[in-house]
Amino acid sequence: MARLRLFGHPALESSESSAPLGLPAKAVAVIALIATNAERPVSRDWLAQTVWPDTDPSDARANLRRQLHQTLKALGEDAFVLTRQSVQWNTSSGVECDVVKFDALRTTNGAAAVEQYAGELCAGISEECLESARLRYRSRYEHLLRTLIESAQRAGDDAQIRVYLQRLVAYDPFDEDAVREIMRSRFKSGDRAGAIREYNALSHRLTAELSVEPQPATRALFTEIIGENAALSVPNNLTTANSTFVGRERDLTDIAAALHKSRVVALTGPGGIGKSRLATRACFDLLSSYPGGVWFVDLENVKRESDIWQRISEAARIPPAESREQTVLGSFANAHALIVLDTCEHVPQAAAAVIHKLSEATAVHVLATSRRRLSVDGMCELAVGPLDIPPVTLGSGDSALRYSAYRLLVERASLVNPAFHVERREMEPLTRLLQSVDGLPLAIELIASRANVLSISGMRKRLSEALRAAREHAGARNRTMDAALSWSYELLDRRQQKLFAALAVFRSAFTADDVERVCADVDQPVSVLFELLDASLVSALAVKPETRYRLLETTRSFAAEKLAPELARVAQAHAEHFARKADAIAVAADKDLSELLESTLQSMPDFLAALDYACEHEAANVGLQLLEGLHKYGIRNHYNEDILGAGLRLLESAKCAGAVRARISRIAGMLSEACGRYQDAIPLFDASVEYYRAVQDELRLCDALTGLAIMAYHLGCYDECERRFIEIRERTERTGDTMLLLKTLGRLGALYLSQGQFEKALPLLERAALGLPELGELRQSGTALKNVATAAHYLGRHDEAIEWVDRALANIAATGEVAMHAVALCMRAAAQRERGDVEGAVQSLATAAPLLPVLGKSSDLAECCEDAASTFAAIGRCEVAARLMGFSDALRTSIGSPMNPGLRTFYDRTCRLLERSLGGAFRAYHALGASDTAEAIFELFRTAVSPASEQEVGTPDSEDTTSLS
């Protein structure tokens, strides 16, 4: 059975593996809300409005359907019980969930319930809708812990007391009562050094976070402990560390539980993840459980099985004998002891043989650490992951000290710089810093060691230098990241080393197909990929329909050094592969584009890297393939500037000529339009037109002429725009290209609409809107449908307008056209307002508000602001309306896009209304808007449509939201 983990960082686990849950934040939030209400069906309406509170209810329901579809792909089709009205967690499905289990056990078995809690609900997912659930589970968890501590104290169970106290301190790092109890427990068990470390850690936390000292009672206990000696009652060879052990409370519990069920447990994970330190700490906690002794055996530099027997003999202080193996087996024949075999990865077969013999001939338990998986019958494997990293923005009631990566950095930094302190404004760069080293304990300790010479911002900016400087002060194998990774690298065979280095070319998570295509010169690359997965050098992400893989950033940097001699060849294969993937986007039908673009989003860093390669190596054909696919994607997401920059660099290449140059020029022109650079786009389209006229390529000539026509529209040259569209219509009628003809009719209709010629525009727009879907062209159909709605609205047919715009929104949702979604919603608000539905108009604007940043500095944004201004004027928010109009005027001036004649009539009417309402203040608010940044306007828009701001007033006016794009 698969196990979904929502406490801590969301992950999907099975008996074979554990991988992060690679779903969007909204999808994870939907899962969490269903799981936290598993005992009853959850209303779809409630779920949609909770996750998308600022979205129109119908759009929110559509969003919910999409996220449920994606979620069921990841968890299995039977994960939920679905009806038309509700969703409920399916307790009979093939997926077990820790949150559901926690709730089921909370009232009947508190000890089992706390085992489920591995940290904050959906750690790292910044969704406000989860805050109340997070607070609820924190409270329940703390209550359970305190109840269990009291029960363990009554029973005199010191081991359980310490486990629950450690968890309580992880939950509340400033609980000095709990820290004192831990100190007493450690001292009582003979771990005097551990008790002292607990005090020092508390002192560092209090100083760094609150600038206070421990309470007098805590200081008194510390004085008492350092003045007394504690004798260990259990034989062992454990060496106490100089620094505190931070976090891993869940891992320590899992190790104890695994050793209770199985006599052999292995900790696996990449170098620097902290396996050896975790094993040592577990040994201290388990001393009282193994009266036969606890022996830590370091296998560094051993080469064969006989060496391992010798190391065990020396660690357990067994007198030398002729046969070390037989002596060890005889000594431990009936001993209830624990043997730790550390760093088994370089001798996996020998280590497995020793473990097998110990299991067969003795009573000992074995805890092994390895970067490679060990093949031992009956062994329980526990994967050790990175430390928890706090989110960039902490939720209410949350503390950064609950996240072990942060706590480790603070405690280690305080050791080298007692004045080290984290300001609130430094939380974001600190979180980014921890993310950049993937939460690896060794990397965090290396960074913290530079806290005496670098600030947090300095650490982030100079991460490479900070790590390098720290390495100069480090010593043994596991003290530097490079050395730790080198150790793993040297254990690989030649094929594995070659593929490991080649994987550095990927900038984001990659698929097995990506590896097979890019790394084709490695024999059976996918099989080798799985071997690297077993070696803990590659991690898997639970993303369906196909699993993705990634290198930790620290690992990728190391692999890149190994790739250097082969970089040119692998980078070329990488660029050509992603160019072929871009081809699939370029030819995809609109109805298939939404899901394809979701996959592209996950790989966007690799697509951009491929574009960089094409520019640097003057690979114009590869660049063209990438541009033709990605410009469709860039328009919907924030990559227009990046893709446009690459297109312009390609045009500077001496190897870019002829048909390739003409096609790149046209795409660069389209991207320039999307970025609001209308004047810059004209010479790009002109270059394409000149070439296509010369070679008599009618289809592409019409495309290029369309670009010039749209630029003429944006620049206010309406006669030229009409002339060009009429020319394009005549050409397409001669060639018989129905698709291009319908698109041209839609654009010509939009031009007439913008000029107020509604009766002339309507038949052209309806023909385009109804004909394009039959040809699979949903995007242009959505635009035409929206424009039909606008024409109906201006003709006073408002109910009809809303029906048309709702059809447009359905098309837009299918294609993921975010910009057009915002424009259509603002037009919908205008129609709703006109028919007296002011509340509905405000709700439509509220849905559009979070989409506005996608528009960039474009005429679409100007039109949305102008349309919204009249609605705000209608509800009495005249000062907001005046600022929006001031911003729109300034934006049109900056991008050189004057207002079209049709829109001007309604704009002037709104101005007159505002001047009557505000008097002389209108000009002041208008000037304020003209000086506003786009970000300030987005916030103003969002705030104005929040429920607290809504007011109903007056009779609305109207204006245009026409688009030719």
Side-chain angles (χ1 to χ4, degrees):
M1 174 180 283
R3 184 171 189 266
L4 174 64
R5 193 177 74 209
L6 294 177
F7 287 129
H9 293 281
L12 192 59
E13 302 173 340
S14 67
S15 57
E16 294 83 20
S17 64
S18 174
L21 189 62
L23 289 172
K26 293 288 188 186
V28 177
V30 168
I31 297 172
L33 290 174
I34 295 170
T36 56
N37 294 277
E39 72 282 0
R40 61 181 181 275
V42 178
S43 161
R44 284 183 181 245
D45 288 335
W46 175 84
L47 197 57
Q49 286 302 296
T50 301
V51 180
W52 292 275
D54 299 325
T55 303
D56 177 82
S58 61
D59 293 330
R61 287 271 300 216
N63 291 339
L64 176 62
R65 285 194 296 273
R66 285 193 292 272
Q67 298 300 353
L68 285 173
H69 175 71
Q70 195 166 1
T71 296
L72 292 173
K73 279 188 177 181
L75 302 184
E77 295 298 327
D78 64 342
F80 306 142
V81 177
L82 301 174
T83 70
R84 291 180 63 86
Q85 288 77 35
S86 66
V87 185
Q88 185 173 11
W89 184 267
N90 183 7
T91 54
S92 301
S93 75
V95 179
E96 179 183 86
C97 178
D98 55 357
V99 169
V100 177
K101 200 167 182 180
F102 178 93
D103 286 330
L105 295 168
R106 184 168 57 89
T107 56
T108 59
N109 189 340
V114 298
E115 295 299 322
Q116 304 300 317
Y117 193 92
E120 185 84 337
L121 178 67
C122 298
I125 303 297
S126 300
E127 291 292 330
E128 289 185 12
C129 61
L130 297 178
E131 284 305 304
S132 61
R134 284 172 173 152
L135 288 171
R136 184 167 71 251
Y137 282 97
R138 284 181 209 146
S139 176
R140 290 175 178 176
Y141 178 63
E142 181 182 8
H143 175 73
L144 282 175
L145 282 178
R146 295 191 184 280
T147 302
L148 290 167
I149 290 169
E150 292 173 3
S151 298
Q153 287 171 334
R154 288 194 297 269
D157 190 339
D158 291 338
Q160 284 301 308
I161 290 173
R162 189 185 306 165
V163 168
Y164 296 138
L165 285 171
Q166 288 286 0
R167 290 190 170 192
L168 186 58
V169 170
Y171 171 80
D172 182 1
F174 300 119
D175 188 332
E176 292 199 41
D177 291 338
V179 173
R180 285 195 297 272
E181 289 301 320
I182 293 173
M183 290 168 64
R184 291 190 184 98
S185 176
R186 290 202 173 282
F187 183 68
K188 180 180 177 181
S189 69
D191 187 8
R192 178 170 174 267
I196 294 172
R197 289 196 303 275
E198 296 289 351
Y199 175 84
N200 288 335
L202 172 66
S203 179
H204 290 315
R205 289 197 296 271
L206 291 170
T207 302
E209 293 293 309
L210 304 177
S211 300
V212 298
E213 293 184 346
Q215 297 170 357
T218 312
R219 296 201 302 272
L221 177 60
F222 174 67
T223 302
E224 177 186 336
I225 289 173
I226 62 174
E228 297 186 21
N229 291 319
L232 294 174
S233 57
V234 176
N236 69 88
N237 69 332
L238 301 177
T239 303
T240 58
N242 294 324
S243 56
T244 55
F245 182 87
V246 176
R248 304 288 195 194
E249 291 80 12
R250 173 63 182 271
D251 291 325
L252 290 168
T253 302
D254 287 347
I255 292 170
L259 284 169
H260 181 73
K261 296 176 182 177
S262 173
R263 289 178 54 200
V264 181
V265 175
L267 305 180
T268 60
I273 204 72
K275 299 181 297 296
S276 299
R277 189 74 185 274
L278 174 60
T280 303
R281 172 56 183 269
C283 288
F284 275 110
D285 287 349
L286 294 168
L287 276 171
S288 60
S289 301
Y290 292 97
V294 177
W295 311 103
F296 192 93
V297 184
D298 186 354
L299 300 188
E300 184 179 2
N301 299 327
V302 304
K303 297 180 179 178
R304 46 193 166 278
E305 184 181 338
S306 59
D307 296 337
I308 300 177
W309 291 113
Q310 181 177 341
R311 290 287 178 89
I312 296 174
S313 175
E314 292 169 350
R317 308 184 188 106
I318 298 172
E322 183 175 347
S323 173
R324 296 273 187 159
E325 176 182 334
Q326 293 305 316
T327 304
V328 168
L329 293 175
S331 298
F332 285 107
N334 299 307
H336 187 49
L338 175 64
I339 295 177
V340 180
L341 299 180
D342 188 45
T343 63
C344 298
E345 57 267 6
H346 59 300
V347 284
Q349 290 81 17
V354 169
I355 293 170
H356 176 73
K357 292 174 182 178
L358 285 170
S359 300
E360 289 289 313
T362 73
V364 301
H365 287 191
V366 177
L367 178 62
T369 73
S370 177
R371 300 177 196 181
R372 288 178 174 273
R373 290 179 176 170
L374 303 175
S375 298
V376 178
D377 291 340
M379 180 187 74
C380 176
E381 181 181 328
L382 300 177
V384 181
L387 298 179
D388 287 335
I389 300 171
V392 174
T393 303
L394 290 171
S396 58
D398 199 5
S399 166
L401 281 171
R402 289 186 181 138
Y403 299 87
S404 49
Y406 175 85
R407 200 158 77 245
L408 177 64
L409 182 76
V410 168
E411 292 187 14
R412 296 297 188 265
S414 298
L415 290 174
V416 298
N417 180 8
F420 181 82
H421 180 71
V422 182
E423 302 285 350
R424 180 177 292 275
R425 59 183 171 79
E426 295 177 310
M427 270 305 302
E428 180 176 352
L430 178 55
T431 296
R432 303 293 186 197
L433 175 66
L434 294 171
Q435 290 172 343
S436 66
V437 295
D438 303 299
L440 289 180
L442 179 54
I444 294 171
E445 295 206 33
L446 289 171
I447 293 169
S449 70
R450 308 305 293 164
N452 58 336
V453 293
L454 289 175
S455 66
I456 291 170
S457 296
M459 290 177 188
R460 188 181 174 205
K461 291 177 182 175
R462 299 176 177 83
L463 178 60
S464 301
E465 293 89 334
L467 288 173
R468 185 165 55 250
R471 291 167 191 153
E472 295 172 359
H473 298 84
R477 166 181 59 82
N478 244 7
R479 290 302 301 153
T480 75
M481 288 303 303
D482 277 355
L485 289 166
S486 293
W487 173 263
S488 294
Y489 180 77
E490 295 302 326
L491 296 176
L492 303 176
D493 62 32
R494 187 174 178 182
R495 277 195 319 151
Q496 293 167 342
Q497 289 181 345
K498 187 173 184 179
L499 182 66
F500 172 69
L503 294 181
V505 77
F506 293 106
R507 304 296 178 86
S508 56
F510 47 86
T511 66
D513 180 68
D514 292 334
V515 173
E516 190 169 34
R517 306 295 180 187
V518 175
C519 309
D521 62 324
V522 177
D523 184 33
Q524 296 183 320
V526 175
S527 297
V528 180
L529 172 67
F530 296 148
E531 293 167 9
L532 294 176
L533 194 64
D534 287 342
S536 301
L537 287 169
V538 174
S539 53
L541 300 175
V543 184
K544 290 191 177 183
E546 53 185 339
T547 302
R548 285 180 173 262
Y549 306 89
R550 69 180 287 255
L551 299 181
L552 298 177
E553 279 304 305
T554 44
T555 306
R556 198 178 80 83
S557 297
F558 177 84
E561 295 176 9
K562 303 298 180 183
L563 177 61
E566 295 288 318
L567 178 60
R569 179 185 56 76
V570 178
Q572 179 180 351
H574 174 271
E576 291 173 351
H577 168 62
F578 279 91
R580 289 190 293 271
K581 294 185 79 167
D583 278 342
I585 303 172
V587 301
D590 278 356
K591 64 182 179 62
D592 302 323
L593 198 56
S594 184
E595 188 168 331
L596 183 59
L597 295 187
E598 181 63 37
S599 172
T600 306
L601 174 61
Q602 299 178 48
S603 298
M604 202 64 195
D606 281 293
F607 280 107
L608 294 177
L611 265 176
D612 286 340
Y613 174 90
C615 294
E616 291 168 10
H617 294 81
E618 298 186 339
N621 286 315
V622 171
L624 175 60
Q625 284 180 280
L626 289 159
L627 287 172
E628 288 191 322
L630 293 181
H631 88 271
K632 295 175 70 174
Y633 181 71
I635 289 170
R636 292 159 173 77
N637 299 275
H638 304 277
Y639 294 102
N640 284 316
E641 293 284 355
D642 295 308
I643 302 169
L644 173 59
L648 296 176
R649 279 187 288 157
L650 281 170
L651 290 174
E652 294 171 0
S653 166
K655 295 184 179 179
C656 183
V660 171
R661 184 176 189 84
R663 290 164 69 182
I664 292 177
S665 293
R666 186 181 68 83
I667 294 169
M670 295 169 68
L671 289 164
S672 294
E673 182 214 350
C675 295
R677 302 181 187 178
Y678 307 129
Q679 292 286 3
D680 294 342
I682 291 174
L684 294 166
F685 285 122
D686 276 335
S688 294
V689 167
E690 182 181 353
Y691 177 82
Y692 293 132
R693 283 194 194 277
V695 299
Q696 298 182 342
D697 186 334
E698 284 291 312
L699 177 61
R700 290 196 171 97
L701 173 59
C702 287
D703 279 339
L705 287 170
T706 297
L708 285 175
I710 293 173
M711 293 312 99
Y713 170 81
H714 284 307
L715 296 172
C717 304
Y718 303 115
D719 289 342
E720 180 187 347
C721 178
E722 182 180 19
R723 177 176 57 79
R724 289 197 181 277
F725 276 136
I726 290 174
E727 178 189 352
I728 298 166
R729 182 176 66 180
E730 291 171 351
R731 287 180 178 275
T732 53
E733 285 173 342
R734 286 198 303 269
T735 60
D737 190 321
T738 305
M739 175 79 80
L740 189 52
L741 174 61
L742 290 173
K743 289 181 180 180
T744 302
L745 293 177
R747 288 163 175 151
L748 187 57
L751 173 63
Y752 294 143
L753 175 63
S754 71
Q755 294 178 306
Q757 301 178 51
F758 309 132
E759 297 288 358
K760 190 175 181 180
L762 199 55
L764 297 175
L765 293 171
E766 287 182 338
R767 184 177 171 189
L770 298 174
L772 286 169
E774 296 178 2
L775 301 175
E777 183 58 58
L778 297 182
R779 179 174 176 264
Q780 290 289 343
S781 173
T783 302
L785 284 164
K786 188 271 301 179
N787 286 337
V788 172
T790 303
H793 165 59
Y794 288 154
L795 290 169
R797 301 176 348 216
H798 307 301
D799 289 338
E800 184 181 334
I802 292 172
E803 291 178 9
W804 281 106
V805 81
D806 284 343
R807 290 175 64 180
L809 287 168
N811 270 29
I812 291 164
T815 61
E817 185 68 36
V818 181
M820 186 52 61
H821 193 183
V823 174
L825 285 167
C826 289
M827 189 269 121
R828 186 177 192 237
Q832 289 173 301
R833 186 194 66 235
E834 195 71 29
R835 71 172 185 180
D837 183 9
V838 177
E839 183 178 349
V842 172
Q843 183 59 55
S844 291
L845 293 181
T847 305
L851 307 178
L852 295 182
V854 179
L855 298 175
K857 293 184 177 181
S858 65
S859 60
D860 280 340
L861 177 58
E863 291 186 11
C864 282
C865 289
E866 290 149 2
D867 186 43
S870 57
T871 296
F872 287 131
I875 64 173
R877 300 305 307 272
C878 297
E879 71 288 353
V880 174
R883 282 179 66 180
L884 288 175
M885 296 179 80
F887 173 78
S888 174
D889 284 346
L891 175 58
R892 287 190 178 280
T893 300
S894 68
I895 63 177
S897 177
M899 193 176 301
N900 64 64
L903 179 57
R904 172 60 65 182
T905 301
F906 301 99
Y907 177 87
D908 290 342
R909 185 187 299 176
T910 303
C911 282
R912 289 193 295 272
L913 171 65
L914 291 174
E915 286 174 338
R916 288 197 301 270
S917 300
L918 294 173
F922 170 70
R923 294 300 168 194
Y925 281 118
H926 188 279
L928 179 61
S931 63
D932 272 328
T933 63
E935 290 72 22
I937 287 297
F938 299 150
E939 179 61 22
L940 176 71
F941 197 111
R942 185 192 66 78
T943 304
V945 293
S946 65
S949 301
E950 291 181 22
Q951 302 175 41
E952 292 189 15
V953 67
T955 303
D957 290 293
S958 309
E959 75 289 316
D960 178 60
T961 55
T962 305
S963 172
L964 296 180
S965 299

